[in-house]
Amino acid sequence: MPGINNAPDLYGDVENPQLVVFFAGNQFMCIDELLSGFKEKHPEYQRIFAETLPPGILAKQIEGGSLTMGNLRITHQPDVYTAGKNRITEMANYFDRTEVYAYNKLALMVPKKNPKKIKALKDLGKKDIRVSMPNPAWEGIGRQIEAAYKKAGGETLYETIMQTKVKNNRTYLTRIHHRESPLRILYGQSDVAPVWYSEAYYQKMIGHPVELIPIADEQNIRATYMAGKLKQALHPRAAADFIDYLASDEAKAIYKKYGFETD
């Protein structure tokens, strides 16, 4: 029943897992195939628990020791944590191994046929354009988008979208996850959402009525995704095997399928 038993960012076996992975949340569309491929290659690991929440929330879970969702408290610590390069670097003391495995960039998602005729980032500053914006407080993509605003229109565009339009409710800041943004586009609650390219690519891939508007390279960013093996991993061998798998051609093909870039 939607809204009642829906926990889309928790996967697999929460009871006695043989491997725990915290994924950067924008990779949710890859998880089923990644875990299936890993289990096929390593049949010794069949009980895997994974989360795909925003990296900031996952970092707090690592630092604070638990995740609370209503009445549910999960105390698992990850064997592997994946996030953007900046966050992995900030948390370097937690890891004894890190690997780069994929890349991404930004794009704009708009409703089918683009009714507001949005062409570029600067259009998000217009008064009548309703923006769905990942909250920079816990979404790594939020900070990346803020940097793109400054590239496209300087401090003026940034302040218009992130201050003026937040105050007058023309910019919506996500409460939990940038996964909210596609829903706001589909339900007609927002006119445009700056998202990861892979997110807009995936929504089109599954047939949702949206359009992908590219962002010019000179205004865009390239995100680097890294996996870190926790020094305190309870399943160190499984963690090492999983990072090896993420760096494999098989895993990279899965990421490419969903719009990510790989070397």
Side-chain angles (χ1 to χ4, degrees):
M1 181 180 294
I4 299 298
N5 60 352
N6 186 23
D9 290 303
L10 306 181
Y11 300 77
D13 296 282
V14 72
E15 175 69 17
N16 194 29
Q18 296 166 295
L19 173 67
V20 177
V21 185
F22 286 5
F23 278 99
N26 66 331
Q27 295 164 41
F28 69 90
M29 69 285 286
C30 304
I31 302 307
D32 287 338
E33 290 185 44
L34 284 173
L35 296 185
S36 295
F38 177 68
K39 288 178 179 180
E40 185 173 340
K41 190 169 290 291
H42 290 278
E44 65 270 31
Y45 309 124
Q46 292 300 310
R47 298 186 62 80
I48 301 174
F49 176 66
E51 296 181 9
T52 55
L53 291 162
I57 291 176
L58 295 174
K60 289 181 179 178
Q61 189 174 348
I62 292 172
E63 294 162 355
S66 67
L67 170 70
T68 300
M69 299 176 62
N71 297 323
L72 176 65
R73 182 168 175 262
I74 296 173
T75 58
H76 287 317
Q77 286 292 291
D79 301 301
V80 176
Y81 172 55
T82 82
K85 181 178 179 180
N86 288 344
R87 190 172 292 278
I88 294 292
T89 301
E90 291 170 2
M91 299 176 64
N93 289 338
Y94 284 89
F95 311 115
D96 57 19
R97 177 189 174 188
T98 59
E99 295 286 347
V100 173
Y101 62 91
Y103 305 90
N104 214 341
K105 58 186 176 182
L106 301 174
L108 298 175
M109 186 189 302
V110 297
K112 190 75 173 178
K113 298 183 179 179
N114 192 9
K116 291 295 181 76
K117 307 303 179 188
I118 294 166
K119 298 179 180 179
L121 277 173
K122 61 181 176 59
D123 294 333
L124 278 60
K126 295 178 180 178
K127 290 183 179 179
D128 65 322
I129 301 296
R130 298 170 299 166
V131 181
S132 182
M133 173 69 194
N135 195 324
W138 48 76
E139 297 257 40
I141 184 179
R143 295 191 296 274
Q144 306 273 27
I145 294 168
E146 288 180 325
Y149 289 153
K150 293 176 182 178
K151 289 182 180 180
E155 290 293 330
T156 300
L157 182 62
Y158 163 75
E159 290 175 3
T160 298
I161 299 171
M162 296 303 297
Q163 296 177 20
T164 305
K165 294 183 71 169
V166 168
K167 289 178 182 177
N168 63 26
N169 296 318
R170 304 303 281 178
T171 292
Y172 170 85
L173 297 180
T174 57
R175 296 184 179 184
I176 298 174
H177 199 298
H178 61 263
R179 194 184 297 198
E180 297 168 56
S181 290
L183 290 176
R184 291 187 65 82
I185 297 295
L186 293 171
Y187 292 155
Q189 297 167 329
S190 295
D191 303 307
V192 60
V195 295
W196 290 120
Y197 183 94
S198 57
E199 179 71 75
Y201 184 93
Y202 174 69
Q203 294 297 327
K204 286 180 64 66
M205 178 181 178
I206 61 178
H208 284 167
V210 301
E211 304 286 355
L212 185 162
I213 309 297
I215 294 175
D217 288 344
E218 62 270 18
Q219 298 172 5
N220 216 321
I221 56 90
R222 193 184 197 218
T224 299
Y225 297 122
M226 299 180 70
K229 175 180 171 291
L230 276 291
K231 292 178 181 177
Q232 303 300 320
L234 292 179
H235 312 98
R237 182 68 259 167
D241 288 340
F242 189 74
I243 289 181
D244 287 344
Y245 179 73
L246 276 181
S248 71
D249 290 341
E250 180 179 320
K252 288 180 178 180
I254 294 171
Y255 277 97
K256 286 181 180 178
K257 174 181 176 180
Y258 291 103
F260 292 83
E261 299 174 359
T262 63
D263 285 336

